[in-house]
Amino acid sequence: MGIIDEARRGIITDEMRKVSQLEEIPVEKVRNRIAEGKIMLIRNQKMPSKRLVAIGKGLTTKINVNIGTSSEVIDVNMELEKVKVANRWGDTLMDLSTGGDLDYIRREIIRASDLPVGTVPVYQIFIESFKRKSGGAYFTEDELLNTIEKHLRDGVAFMTIHAGITKELAIRALKSNRIIPIVSRGGDMIAGWMIHNNSENPYRKNWDYILEMFKEYDAVISLGDALRPGATDDAHDEFQIGELLETSRLVKIALEKGVQVMVEGPGHVPLNEIAWDVKLMKKLTGGVPYYVLGPLPIDIGAPYDHVASAIGAAIAAASGADLLCYLTPAEHLGLPNVKQVEEGAIAYRIAAHAGDVVKLGKKARKWDDEVSYYRGKLEWDKMISKLIYPERAYEVYTQFGKPKVKACTMCGGYCPMMWAMDQVKKLS
């Protein structure tokens, strides 16, 4: 029995109780929202991850860390170092590997990860088909379904499934005047398969069977946005919205069957459109969790897309997005190294918290209030210990040597907080 079925039968599980404690939310609310599909447990019940991760309404915003090899750079040890970074900073982890022994790499990443691991199954079958038959679109529907099942058996907790894109939408997008017709790698693979085989989306054709597989493992379907905008000028055009409408129908079928599901989006979106993008998605899908890629409000930011997109991510989180997929300084330029993965993850951890201060109010802000209390009293050790990255903060605090006065080296003897404390003493 899946977690949605248990919730609908009024059962409160140990996992629901743990979510209630971690998130400081009544357990009955947790149960109700799981029953409605508004909260999900990202898990594979046959091979649970070390960390319980719940996303959805009323919960803290979570972040996802993407890692994985490419056809150009295959270094498994580097990817496993990235897993260590993800274990510290992330909530979920996606293996997007496209180079090397994909089965081995995926299993090693799952073994090393404390977090629920996600994949994009069409990557593997497309690449294997390309190697065997000199063309990625030659795989069969059964081969795609078997790949999904293999990933589930390995313990994958969530998968990006590009089921919303139809053959008609794909053809029209490719013929359109979009700046970038299709920016999604998995979406392009499915579009190519449909055109080559003159057939409808294999995910859509086998949707009921896919739901049965995910129900067996109680894993999460992440409905991919194959036609997400890859340029801000393409945002919210007929193709993005057309796919979202198709996706919303698939969401309803999944929830009817008791399968956990979330929706991905939106890519490159101008700053003023981010909040209503989240609200539109929530309205159309009945409030299921939203997994946002970025969003990037500008197209010129590389190699600082982790900064640019964190701005968009904070607005998305404040507006109700539930899971933020990070970007690194290497975005749009190359495969990220370990340091760049950490920089991206930290930027998104900050963005998630900034959104939570709006979304959850005082419950989220009590961390900030504690830091500010110690900062105002110039209690440096206590203040630094509460910061998001204490080790690095202490390095900055002492980079010119430990200050000779109670203040830091910025204001020194002219620190307003230090003077204010002296003035208070004189007034008492």
Side-chain angles (χ1 to χ4, degrees):
M1 186 189 301
I3 194 74
I4 290 180
D5 291 331
E6 290 175 318
R8 287 173 179 170
R9 294 186 183 189
I11 299 170
I12 293 177
T13 67
D14 290 341
E15 287 173 314
M16 294 179 197
R17 291 189 182 92
K18 188 172 181 182
V19 171
S20 170
Q21 293 169 357
L22 289 171
E23 301 281 350
E24 299 177 15
I25 183 173
V27 71
E28 193 59 33
K29 277 190 177 180
V30 174
R31 186 197 66 77
N32 284 338
R33 289 171 183 174
I34 290 174
E36 296 169 345
K38 294 177 181 177
I39 287 179
M40 294 182 330
L41 303 186
I42 304 185
R43 66 173 191 175
N44 181 320
Q45 67 178 352
K46 295 194 177 182
M47 195 182 293
S49 56
K50 295 170 188 173
R51 196 178 304 174
L52 177 64
V53 176
I55 70 167
K57 185 176 179 180
L59 308 185
T60 53
T61 307
K62 308 304 190 298
I63 72 164
N64 176 73
V65 175
N66 285 338
I67 66 169
T69 61
S70 75
S71 60
E72 306 302 306
V73 183
I74 303 169
D75 185 340
V76 178
N77 289 331
M78 180 174 71
E79 298 312 315
L80 293 177
E81 287 300 308
K82 294 176 186 178
V83 173
K84 293 178 183 177
V85 172
N87 285 341
R88 171 165 185 175
W89 294 105
D91 298 296
T92 62
L93 169 65
M94 288 202 82
D95 170 26
L96 305 183
S97 293
T98 55
D101 184 338
L102 299 183
D103 287 334
Y104 170 75
I105 293 166
R106 179 177 62 257
R107 289 162 187 163
E108 286 299 297
I109 286 172
I110 291 172
R111 188 175 293 114
S113 178
D114 294 342
L115 314 177
V117 173
T119 57
V120 187
V122 74
Y123 288 2
Q124 181 167 14
I125 192 58
F126 186 93
I127 291 163
E128 289 176 351
S129 173
F130 198 91
K131 289 177 179 178
R132 289 197 316 268
K133 303 173 182 177
S134 300
Y138 288 102
F139 65 84
T140 67
E141 293 176 33
D142 283 344
E143 286 173 329
L144 176 60
L145 297 173
N146 290 339
T147 300
I148 293 172
E149 189 167 16
K150 177 167 61 174
H151 285 211
L152 288 168
R153 284 199 308 267
D154 284 347
V156 172
F158 65 108
M159 291 183 216
T160 296
I161 303 292
H162 297 92
I165 182 173
T166 63
K167 180 185 170 188
E168 185 262 342
L169 268 174
I171 291 172
R172 285 202 295 114
L174 289 169
K175 290 181 175 180
S176 73
N177 60 357
R178 261 189 160 199
I179 292 178
I180 302 178
I182 300 181
V183 73
S184 163
R185 186 162 57 188
D188 189 58
M189 291 173 177
I190 291 294
W193 188 93
M194 290 189 289
I195 292 167
H196 174 80
N197 293 282
N198 192 26
S199 182
E200 190 48 84
N201 187 325
Y203 285 131
R204 296 173 67 84
K205 291 167 68 178
N206 296 279
W207 190 236
D208 286 341
Y209 182 66
I210 290 169
L211 293 178
E212 288 176 14
M213 284 195 288
F214 276 85
K215 182 71 175 287
E216 180 183 350
Y217 291 85
D218 205 25
V220 174
I221 291 176
S222 185
L223 278 161
D225 47 347
L227 296 177
R228 69 178 179 268
T232 49
D233 190 62
D234 296 334
H236 298 118
D237 63 7
E238 61 177 299
F239 307 110
Q240 180 191 354
I241 301 302
E243 184 183 21
L244 179 56
L245 290 170
E246 295 292 335
T247 295
S248 67
R249 298 183 185 108
L250 296 171
V251 164
K252 291 176 174 61
I253 298 170
L255 291 180
E256 286 170 6
K257 300 289 181 69
V259 177
Q260 298 196 95
V261 63
M262 62 181 171
V263 174
E264 297 182 13
H268 293 236
V269 176
L271 207 62
N272 62 309
E273 297 182 17
I274 291 173
W276 63 256
D277 176 279
V278 176
K279 296 181 190 308
L280 175 65
M281 175 273 167
K282 291 281 185 177
K283 179 71 173 177
L284 289 175
T285 63
V288 301
Y290 197 14
Y291 175 23
V292 295
L293 314 178
L296 253 175
I298 59 172
D299 301 336
I300 63 164
Y304 300 100
D305 275 337
H306 63 307
V307 176
S309 63
I311 296 168
I315 293 173
S319 304
D322 307 284
L323 178 62
L324 309 177
C325 187
Y326 88 150
L327 273 67
T328 75
E331 187 73 18
H332 297 115
L333 297 172
L335 190 77
N337 61 29
V338 176
K339 182 181 178 183
Q340 290 162 344
V341 165
E342 182 178 61
E343 289 174 353
I346 293 169
Y348 269 66
R349 181 56 67 198
I350 292 168
H353 180 68
D356 284 346
V357 169
V358 176
K359 187 162 60 178
L360 304 177
K362 290 183 179 180
K363 185 166 71 172
R365 205 184 65 226
K366 63 185 177 183
W367 181 12
D368 302 80
D369 292 343
E370 189 174 14
V371 167
S372 295
Y373 174 81
Y374 291 127
R375 183 175 290 150
K377 292 186 173 296
L378 300 179
E379 295 185 21
W380 294 102
D381 288 344
K382 289 181 180 178
M383 188 270 281
I384 289 172
S385 73
K386 299 293 180 181
L387 295 171
I388 195 165
Y389 200 160
E391 304 96 315
R392 191 163 290 176
Y394 191 78
E395 288 175 8
V396 174
Y397 174 61
T398 59
Q399 64 186 346
F400 299 110
K402 201 156 186 182
K404 297 180 179 62
V405 294
K406 195 172 183 180
C408 74
T409 55
M410 178 67 186
C411 291
Y414 304 106
C415 172
M417 291 174 287
M418 187 170 68
W419 281 34
M421 283 189 283
D422 288 341
Q423 289 159 359
V424 167
K425 288 177 185 175
K426 293 175 184 176
L427 292 171
S428 60

